Amino acid sequence: MAKTQYADGYGAVAAPVDRLLTKVRDGRDARSASRLVAWSETLEAHLAYIALILCIASVTPLDSLASAHSGALFGLGFLAVWRYGWGLAHFVRSNIYRSIVFPKMRAEAEDAMRESADIDGDQHVFLLVTSFRIDGDTTSAVYRAAFEAAKQAPGGATVVASIVEMGDQRLIKLIYRLICGEDTNVRLVITRIAGTGKRDALAYAFRAISRQEPKADDVVAVIDGDSIVPPDFVSKCIGFFRADRSVGALTTDEVSHVHGKAKFHIWYSLRFAQRHILMSSNGLSRKVLTLTGRMSMFRASIVCNPDFVRQVESDYVDHWRLGRLTFLTGDDKSSWFWLLRNRYKMLYIPDVVVATVEEPPSRHFLPAATQLMVRWFGNMLRTNSRALALGPSRIGFFTWWTIFDQRVSMWTSLAGLAMVLLVGLFEAPFAFLIYLLWVLATRYMLTLMLFNSRRRVSAFYPFFIYFNQIYGSVIKTYIFFHLNKQKWTRQKTTLSDNRTRFESRVREASSTLVHAIALTVFVTIVAVVLGQLAIPEAPIFAMAYGLDPIN
């Protein structure tokens, strides 16, 4: 049997998951992917990347760009100071949180657990697992891990399985008998729905938990059907709720087990490595930017709140042009916004790691990445406006500005490329070579910074960082003007649309028109800025401004 491949090289933490996965998809692609991923994290791979940078630098006319167009240099420099300064702020805050602040929080949580357990007794935990169209091997691993964790819960646990198929029900009951036996403090509750979507599955399960009449200090862990929790995660998380009564929810670090080619392994591992730094940075403000559906833990009193359940079950926003947008995906953003609006703290626990089994929606990288980005960024942008409307005084300035930056970054990431395209096409073609050198060098610096997040990083990360920035920004700008585009990657659930065919076509046409206008304005602004920054000797810009390009 092939060894389980964890995309981010977080092997020491994620190794116990190897014993939980009963089967790993083998074959030529899997073995080839494993070898390529492992090689990309070696010193030889990084030296090869550095050699590539040096080779390009040796043939790049670095002194020619200033004489051709100083505006491009100034523009790129300004964007670099803005974007990389913001990234550096996240990096510094991440280290402050993990090295200084969180250890104190961990000690306070452990003290609170010991003290309050003597008075009020241990907290009961509900482990809510949602499963739909997930293969049997993954389902077995997920529920085995959930039952093992439930057995170690100090105050006992109830595993709530929210499922659709009868086959899953039989499998879960079998695993429960094998892991927990007859004499156990773990209860099993199964809720079945008709496959109408994850939001309905969560709402049904929340109401089932409410009928169990949990105590005020009890907690609920919401776990995806492809997420494998560590055995001790309950005892390592529940203390934070007793240490601070204003804590409403928390989420943890993640690593990935990927089914697919090497590029998927590397892409997912990069995503989780960057996520660890950004989550830690926002954790310093006690307000993470998402309560990931992979595993987040809530106060039971929140999960049993009818208003919270309604928001998760049937969330929506009213858009000035698109009308009422009922949410299909993004249940984690709905729960996050409810807690943000009600001023709860939302913590990040960096020393607890959940392993997620990733099944790309396509065997081909670009279609899979596109489909996933449309879902991820759509969820983010549909919630962005109402989160900004809460104001910095209510949610904190740093959190508010980070949410605002979600709108800004999709344009600033494209501005540098737009500048180089204009200069390279109309004035100095070698600007493309200089830009390539810039991209390779700066993205490698970002890659090296990820050693702060993971013990091994891939030499291929710089290419995927650039891909995420540019292609991701293209997807974001598209979704920003097409917020009605929603689709699950696994579920076939859709939302009914009461509009006529004509009304739907008018809405799509208006989205395309507004998007085209925005792109035109964006390119025009970039060109005008370059024109203002251009030195008089730059031929095309000198003529554009009525100057003599010779004298």
Side-chain angles (χ1 to χ4, degrees):
M1 182 179 295
K3 183 178 179 182
T4 304
Q5 173 67 47
Y6 293 98
D8 50 16
Y10 218 10
V13 177
V17 181
D18 287 332
R19 297 189 292 273
L20 294 171
L21 290 172
T22 58
K23 181 180 179 182
V24 178
R25 297 183 180 184
D26 207 347
R28 184 170 56 188
D29 287 347
R31 290 191 296 270
S32 176
S34 180
R35 288 194 296 269
L36 183 57
V37 171
W39 178 83
S40 73
E41 297 173 346
T42 63
L43 177 61
E44 290 82 359
H46 284 270
L47 290 176
Y49 185 90
I50 294 172
L52 174 64
I53 294 178
L54 294 176
C55 288
I56 295 177
S58 66
V59 298
T60 301
L62 295 174
D63 58 339
S64 300
L65 185 62
S67 61
H69 200 287
S70 61
L73 281 179
F74 184 86
L76 287 174
F78 176 79
L79 289 174
V81 170
W82 170 259
R83 296 313 315 166
Y84 294 117
W86 182 235
L88 183 61
H90 278 299
F91 183 79
V92 172
R93 286 172 55 90
S94 169
N95 280 275
I96 293 174
Y97 180 71
R98 285 181 282 141
S99 301
I100 301 174
V101 176
F102 181 76
K104 297 178 181 178
M105 294 170 57
R106 165 63 66 195
E108 292 171 358
E110 293 175 351
D111 291 342
M113 269 189 66
R114 287 191 294 266
E115 294 172 2
S116 57
D118 296 335
I119 301 174
D120 304 322
D122 290 316
Q123 297 159 278
H124 190 81
V125 62
F126 295 84
L127 305 182
L128 166 55
V129 186
T130 57
S131 300
F132 180 64
R133 290 184 178 172
I134 297 175
D135 64 90
D137 296 323
T138 300
T139 298
S140 297
V142 167
Y143 280 94
R144 289 179 65 183
F147 287 129
E148 292 286 359
K151 287 175 64 176
Q152 296 190 26
T158 300
V159 176
V160 181
S162 181
I163 59 176
V164 175
E165 287 93 354
M166 177 60 72
D168 284 343
Q169 179 172 322
R170 288 192 289 265
L171 177 60
I172 293 165
K173 286 185 174 180
L174 175 60
I175 297 172
Y176 173 69
R177 289 194 297 268
L178 292 174
I179 301 295
C180 300
E182 299 296 333
D183 185 18
T184 179
N185 63 346
V186 178
R187 291 178 292 171
L188 174 62
V189 175
I190 295 179
T191 64
R192 290 182 60 196
I193 67 169
T196 52
K198 186 179 178 183
R199 288 181 178 272
D200 287 344
L202 288 172
Y204 273 79
F206 289 160
R207 294 185 180 108
I209 292 172
S210 182
R211 289 192 291 269
Q212 302 291 320
E213 298 182 348
K215 295 183 295 185
D217 282 332
D218 291 346
V219 295
V220 178
V222 180
I223 305 168
D224 257 2
D226 53 8
S227 301
I228 302 171
V229 296
D232 60 347
F233 92 102
V234 173
S235 60
K236 295 184 72 172
C237 290
I238 58 177
F240 292 94
F241 292 93
R242 280 190 165 171
D244 188 346
R245 301 290 175 175
S246 62
V247 172
L250 57 81
T251 191
T252 67
D253 191 10
E254 296 177 7
V255 295
S256 56
H257 166 76
V258 183
H259 293 159
K261 298 178 182 178
K263 56 177 71 74
F264 288 109
H265 291 257
I266 297 169
W267 187 55
Y268 274 104
S269 70
L270 169 65
R271 177 172 174 261
F272 285 123
Q274 292 176 318
R275 173 188 182 274
H276 187 52
I277 291 178
L278 293 176
M279 280 286 200
S280 298
S281 171
N282 288 287
L284 189 61
S285 300
R286 310 300 196 275
K287 285 185 176 65
V288 296
L289 292 191
T290 184
L291 291 170
T292 175
R294 297 307 180 88
M295 203 301 292
S296 293
M297 189 174 283
F298 300 80
R299 283 192 183 276
S301 58
I302 292 176
V303 166
C304 296
N305 187 313
D307 184 57
F308 176 83
V309 177
R310 280 194 298 269
Q311 175 118 33
V312 173
E313 184 178 27
S314 54
D315 199 6
Y316 65 88
V317 293
D318 290 318
H319 190 270
W320 68 274
R321 180 174 52 83
L322 300 173
R324 174 155 295 185
L325 298 175
T326 302
F327 289 3
L328 175 63
T329 61
D331 53 274
D332 51 348
K333 283 294 187 180
S334 297
S335 57
W336 168 80
F337 177 71
W338 192 92
L339 273 79
L340 186 71
R341 184 184 63 202
N342 288 279
R343 302 175 185 251
Y344 281 100
K345 292 180 181 177
M346 294 171 278
L347 306 182
Y348 180 60
I349 312 302
D351 61 353
V352 177
V353 183
V354 174
T356 67
V357 181
E358 303 292 347
E359 185 75 46
S362 171
R363 287 177 55 85
H364 304 288
F365 179 75
L366 189 60
T370 301
Q371 192 171 344
L372 290 168
M373 284 181 174
V374 167
R375 178 164 64 86
W376 295 338
F377 300 149
N379 296 337
M380 177 188 76
L381 292 171
R382 277 185 287 273
T383 305
N384 183 277
S385 296
R386 60 181 182 177
L388 284 176
L390 295 176
S393 61
R394 186 167 185 173
I395 64 177
F397 178 77
F398 186 85
T399 301
W400 185 88
W401 186 261
T402 305
I403 296 170
F404 177 73
D405 186 66
Q406 293 174 342
R407 291 188 169 199
V408 176
S409 61
M410 61 185 177
W411 297 107
T412 55
S413 295
L414 295 174
L417 177 61
M419 288 182 182
V420 171
L421 286 173
L422 290 173
V423 174
L425 291 174
F426 297 109
E427 188 173 344
F430 54 80
F432 292 121
L433 189 61
I434 296 174
Y435 182 65
L436 174 62
L437 180 64
W438 164 264
V439 168
L440 290 174
T442 54
R443 273 54 175 188
Y444 189 61
M445 292 299 297
L446 294 177
T447 296
L448 294 180
M449 292 175 69
L450 293 177
F451 275 112
N452 185 255
S453 175
R454 298 292 189 255
R455 289 178 300 173
R456 296 194 300 272
V457 301
S458 172
F460 293 132
Y461 276 0
F463 304 104
F464 287 93
I465 290 175
Y466 186 72
F467 169 80
N468 287 343
Q469 289 174 335
I470 300 303
Y471 191 68
S473 293
V474 170
I475 296 294
K476 287 177 185 176
T477 59
Y478 173 80
I479 290 297
F480 186 76
F481 298 102
H482 299 79
L483 291 175
N484 56 305
K485 300 290 187 181
Q486 301 181 67
K487 184 179 181 181
W488 281 106
T489 51
R490 181 182 295 118
Q491 301 179 28
K492 302 302 181 183
T493 309
T494 58
L495 290 173
S496 59
D497 191 349
N498 296 323
R499 292 178 175 83
T500 65
R501 180 178 297 182
F502 176 75
E503 290 173 333
S504 297
R505 288 180 176 177
V506 169
R507 184 173 68 170
E508 290 303 308
S510 69
S511 296
T512 302
L513 176 61
V514 175
H515 188 197
I517 292 173
L519 290 176
T520 303
V521 171
F522 168 72
V523 174
T524 301
I525 291 175
V526 171
V528 170
V529 170
L530 279 176
Q532 293 295 328
L533 296 175
I535 60 176
E537 289 81 1
I540 189 169
F541 290 98
M543 289 186 291
Y545 283 86
L547 302 175
D548 186 345
I550 299 177
N551 301 320

